[in-house]
Amino acid sequence: MLHLLSLNHLSILKPSTQIKFSITALSLLMITGCSGLGGGSLEKRAAKLSTGIQKAYSVDSTTANRVAPMIVQSAEQYQVDPLLIAAMIRQESSYRNYVISPAGAIGLTQIMPTYWQQTCSGDLFEEASNINCGTYILAKYNQSAGSWKKALAYYNVGPTGYESSWKMRHQGKKYAKQVKQHEEKLKDSL
């Protein structure tokens, strides 16, 4: 099995075998996902996520059952842990779809239409479009930030705000910590 061979032991393999091993391990991670949801069908993972959302965040079953497949699909598309997206939604909107922030952010993932409407297609009040856009943004920020915690901070205050102001950086870090706490609570509920 793959877990019996640690990365330290890769050096004893021929280079061609190392590459095959790495590709196989990466493929397995992509198939099963890098989350507490494990493998299985989209339906199975969405059902597990829905149950966790209900238990961890006291979200009604109708809402959790409706949005969980959207979260899993978007997370898979952009290679983001679905538990992180679910936790971010808990922080941003508490699973209330029609929430509008004082700054004008909308929907489950609190997208700023003035910044993202050209990038993200569709009606950002529509749950699937909003979740897909929020997941895309977080994945994009992770690429530029180099870590999920910093990507979360960017999501909250923007990269410019984070890099130019101590106060904004502090706010972004606080936000990232809160999302990570929601993620842990969700993991504990699975």
Side-chain angles (χ1 to χ4, degrees):
M1 298 194 74
L2 286 177
H3 68 278
L4 296 177
L5 186 61
S6 76
L7 294 177
N8 294 334
H9 294 101
L10 279 179
S11 61
I12 64 171
L13 300 174
K14 292 189 291 184
S16 62
T17 306
Q18 289 177 12
I19 292 169
K20 287 176 189 174
F21 176 82
S22 297
I23 290 170
T24 303
L26 182 60
S27 297
L28 283 173
L29 281 174
M30 290 176 72
I31 291 167
T32 61
C34 299
S35 75
L37 296 179
S41 67
L42 169 70
E43 293 79 15
K44 183 179 176 182
R45 289 177 287 139
K48 187 173 182 179
L49 180 59
S50 175
T51 300
I53 290 169
Q54 292 171 59
K55 287 180 183 177
Y57 308 143
S58 301
V59 173
D60 69 272
S61 61
T62 304
T63 300
N65 289 335
R66 189 177 63 248
V67 301
M70 298 174 205
I71 293 169
V72 172
Q73 284 179 318
S74 291
E76 193 171 284
Q77 180 178 353
Y78 296 110
Q79 299 177 355
V80 180
D81 187 338
L83 302 182
L84 184 59
I85 299 302
M88 186 177 79
I89 291 171
R90 166 57 184 85
Q91 180 66 27
E92 288 290 344
S93 66
S94 295
Y95 286 85
R96 295 171 296 148
N97 189 45
Y98 290 100
V99 140
I100 302 174
S101 77
I106 63 173
L108 291 172
T109 62
Q110 290 291 280
I111 303 298
M112 291 294 289
T114 52
Y115 297 120
W116 295 103
Q117 190 67 60
Q118 298 300 315
T119 305
C120 298
S121 60
D123 178 0
L124 291 176
F125 275 114
E126 195 273 318
E127 292 170 335
S129 295
N130 190 281
I131 291 168
N132 195 57
C133 184
T135 306
Y136 165 79
I137 294 166
L138 188 61
K140 180 177 170 60
Y141 284 157
N142 183 54
Q143 287 177 345
S144 62
S147 76
W148 289 110
K149 282 186 178 182
K150 195 171 181 181
L152 286 165
Y154 278 15
Y155 193 92
N156 182 245
V157 299
T160 304
Y162 183 90
E163 299 298 340
S164 64
S165 163
W166 177 89
K167 185 177 179 182
M168 296 297 273
R169 186 176 308 113
H170 178 71
Q171 178 183 323
K173 286 180 177 182
K174 182 178 175 184
Y175 170 87
K177 184 178 179 181
Q178 291 168 329
V179 172
K180 286 298 199 176
Q181 288 170 343
H182 291 309
E183 183 181 28
E184 285 304 312
K185 186 174 183 180
L186 180 56
K187 283 179 183 176
D188 291 344
S189 297
L190 294 176

